[in-house]
Amino acid sequence: MNRPRIALIHATPIAIDPIKAAFASNWPEAEPVNILEDSLSPDRAKVADITDALTDRIVALTQYARMIGSDAVLFTCSAFGRAIEQAARTVDIPVLKPNEAMFEQAIRRGGRTAMLYTFPPAREGMEEEFREEAARIDPSASIQSILVGGAIEAVRAGDVETHNRLVAEAASKLGDVDAITLAHFSTARALTSVKAVTSRPVLSSPDAAIAKLRGLLGAE
């Protein structure tokens, strides 16, 4: 049986290790292929919204992923939601936004979700994605977004310990919520640290995305 090829499209190198570890744990039979275009993240940070030029780049990367024989595409950067939706319409394979599967899981757990995020340009798009999923699953669901200042700068500098500590500290201060979501693939490296400080369910994008891909490709 051929291994399903999953194209992982990264806008920053800090997203690679968490999804690599998630595939090793949750779907070792798959063939993940890394496509890194690390000018996307800084270019997105320079603009208030996703531009046509950025959308064209997301579409081109998706079509390249299809060209190399991928069975599905998973984007690992949270700041390109609408562009990814447009790109998905140009190919005949599943294309997943980073957080859609995680948000689905969170909403099904209850109405109150906390989202810990570290990259400010991604917040608005992620909240919009959450509301779209909520409209489909549970319109009463709500999301509370908490910026973890300094965390992404720490992990970019190679200081994973500080990143994880900051995210866990933010989680420990949360009130009564039904689920905690770690907003970015890069934030998933704090999963164990966050689980250590809370009794609430903690969800990460890589694990949820892989579970959804397995279902879409009949590998459950």
Side-chain angles (χ1 to χ4, degrees), residues 95-203:
V95 178
L96 264 62
K97 292 178 289 186
N99 301 300
E100 62 180 271
M102 178 180 68
F103 286 156
E104 286 177 8
Q105 290 186 4
I107 293 164
R108 294 186 191 282
R109 286 180 176 272
R112 299 160 301 176
T113 296
M115 179 176 73
L116 301 177
Y117 72 103
T118 65
F119 186 54
R123 173 181 176 171
E124 184 177 349
M126 288 188 296
E127 289 179 344
E128 182 179 343
E129 289 176 30
F130 181 92
R131 289 190 291 269
E132 289 173 355
E133 293 298 331
R136 184 172 61 84
I137 301 169
D138 178 5
S140 68
S142 63
I143 187 167
Q144 174 190 6
S145 301
I146 299 96
L147 175 63
V148 185
I152 198 167
E153 292 79 9
V155 77
R156 283 173 174 166
D159 188 354
V160 174
E161 182 178 350
T162 295
H163 169 273
N164 294 353
R165 175 178 57 79
L166 291 171
V167 176
E169 287 176 356
S172 71
K173 298 173 184 176
L174 292 172
D176 188 17
V177 296
D178 295 302
I180 299 170
T181 56
L182 305 181
H184 320 290
F185 274 57
S186 61
T187 322
R189 50 178 41 88
L191 182 64
T192 300
S193 298
V194 173
K195 285 184 173 180
V197 301
T198 181
S199 60
R200 306 297 179 193
V202 185
L203 307 177

Side-chain angles (χ1 to χ4, degrees), residues 9 110 157 164 187 204 207:
I9 301 182
N164 294 353
T187 322
S204 74
D207 290 339

